[in-house]
Amino acid sequence: VEKGGRDNGTSPLGFLLVAMGNVPTAQTALFLLSLIIYLVTVVGNILIVVLVVAEQHLHTPMYFFLGNLSSLETFYSSAILPRLLASFLTGDRTISAHGCMAQFYFFATLATTECYLLAAMSYDRYLAVCQPLHYASLMTWKVCLQLVAGSWLLGLLVSTVLTSLLPQLQFCGPRTINHFFCDFTPLLELACGDTSMATLVAFVFGFLDVVFPFLFTLASYVCIIAAILRIPSNVGRQKAFSTCSAHLTIVAAFYGSLFVVYVLPRTAPLRQLSKVFSFFYTVLTPLVNPLVYSLRNREVREALRK
């Protein structure tokens, strides 16, 4: 796995994932911790989906987006954690070339979809706070479905293009990925041929599926905060802010870690830091999502009590 001649991404040779190190004494503890995180993430997000479907008073655009986000978070963690759990359990840190491509494809699809879905949710909150009289006519069920479908289609488009570039890369020497899952940048660093086209395509798509949705989300919240500050009463301001505080928390955690991983330069110290933040936005953010919405949202808490 670690040594070989010149080959491309479809070679039968696999890759070695070494980000978590090789500490046999810690494997059991890491396995149990990861298993608990995965189970809580899946159960928590599925519970939110069930609540949104079962409770009539949660049949609103905001909770429709929340149900889709929770579904996405379940798939998101399932693209990363089962493979990580298997490596902790068996000690085998290798992954086949096709398995690596598949993991990256699902990860890229879900990460891109989440960026656009969070932007759609921020637009929903903007209309609710800044255009309350026109909210019902602007945020119809047709618009909700179009925004969600568009998010998933863009995620599939971006991941398909990026994944199609990986088999064209040439790998030589050690095929050791200094990460805990197959991501585009660590794979690009292993390539020994010309990667200029792949780098350019990744940069363009990175702007379209990360920077653009982030700027749109940021602009929405600037308008929301400005509108909230214009409300004369403290009670009114608090009520208005409570409708979007949970979503704002998820956005800050997701994009904060995302920019540390993909925007900061890949120096040796920052490469280690980026792995920590990668763990945060791929593993901990899906875990935090149901906790934030259940603890900070009165309607979700009431539905849970029922």
Side-chain angles (χ1 to χ4, degrees):
V1 175
E2 294 188 38
K3 293 183 179 179
R6 187 180 180 89
D7 51 63
N8 64 20
T10 58
S11 163
L13 292 173
F15 295 92
L16 185 67
L17 299 167
V18 299
M20 291 301 182
N22 186 19
V23 186
T25 55
Q27 298 300 299
T28 302
L30 289 172
F31 171 78
L32 292 174
L33 177 62
S34 300
L35 180 62
I36 291 170
I37 290 174
Y38 182 56
L39 292 176
V40 172
T41 300
V42 171
V43 172
N45 281 292
I46 289 178
L47 180 59
I48 286 182
V49 174
V50 171
L51 289 175
V52 170
V53 172
E55 289 295 322
Q56 188 68 34
H57 72 281
L58 297 183
H59 292 179
T60 63
M62 183 177 79
Y63 293 107
F64 174 72
F65 288 123
L66 175 58
N68 277 275
L69 179 64
S70 293
S71 300
L72 185 146
E73 300 284 31
T74 303
F75 298 133
Y76 197 19
S77 57
S78 297
I80 306 293
L81 278 173
R83 178 65 192 79
L84 193 60
L85 286 168
S87 68
F88 288 145
L89 191 62
T90 64
D92 182 11
R93 294 175 293 157
T94 62
I95 184 171
S96 68
H98 290 100
C100 192
M101 301 301 115
Q103 186 182 59
F104 172 73
Y105 176 78
F106 288 114
F107 160 74
T109 298
L110 296 164
T112 303
T113 301
E114 180 157 357
C115 289
Y116 282 104
L117 190 57
L118 289 173
M121 293 174 75
S122 71
Y123 176 63
D124 172 70
R125 292 301 84 206
Y126 162 77
L127 292 180
V129 175
C130 301
Q131 305 284 338
L133 298 179
H134 303 286
Y135 177 76
S137 60
L138 293 174
M139 188 53 70
T140 62
W141 283 110
K142 181 181 178 180
V143 171
C144 292
L145 290 170
Q146 288 173 340
L147 289 172
V148 169
S151 299
W152 280 99
L153 287 174
L154 286 168
L156 288 168
L157 172 65
V158 169
S159 63
T160 300
V161 173
L162 290 178
T163 306
S164 67
L165 296 174
L166 294 178
Q168 302 173 31
L169 298 177
Q170 298 295 324
F171 298 97
C172 50
R175 294 166 65 94
T176 303
I177 302 174
N178 189 18
H179 211 8
F180 62 92
F181 71 97
C182 291
D183 199 1
F184 193 81
T185 304
L187 283 168
L188 208 61
E189 291 174 347
L190 293 182
C192 54
D194 181 18
T195 61
S196 56
M197 179 57 69
T199 303
L200 177 62
V201 172
F203 176 80
V204 171
F205 277 105
F207 180 85
L208 293 175
D209 63 30
V210 177
V211 178
F212 176 72
F214 171 74
L215 292 177
F216 181 88
T217 303
L218 183 64
S220 298
Y221 272 102
V222 168
C223 296
I224 289 170
I225 292 171
I228 289 174
L229 293 176
R230 289 196 296 268
I231 298 175
S233 68
N234 289 330
V235 175
R237 284 197 295 269
Q238 186 176 3
K239 184 178 179 181
F241 186 73
S242 68
T243 65
C244 53
S245 59
H247 178 249
L248 186 58
T249 303
I250 296 295
V251 166
F254 181 75
Y255 277 110
S257 53
L258 205 63
F259 275 100
V260 169
V261 174
Y262 295 108
V263 176
L264 294 182
R266 300 278 294 178
T267 60
L270 289 178
R271 188 177 285 112
Q272 299 301 316
L273 183 65
S274 72
K275 286 189 290 186
V276 175
F277 278 89
S278 292
F279 187 81
F280 189 87
Y281 84 84
T282 58
V283 176
L284 295 185
T285 299
L287 171 68
V288 169
N289 174 39
L291 296 176
V292 168
Y293 275 101
S294 60
L295 293 175
R296 303 194 63 163
N297 191 295
R298 180 178 55 82
E299 291 178 306
V300 173
R301 289 200 305 270
E302 288 178 356
L304 280 170
R305 279 196 293 269
K306 290 182 182 179

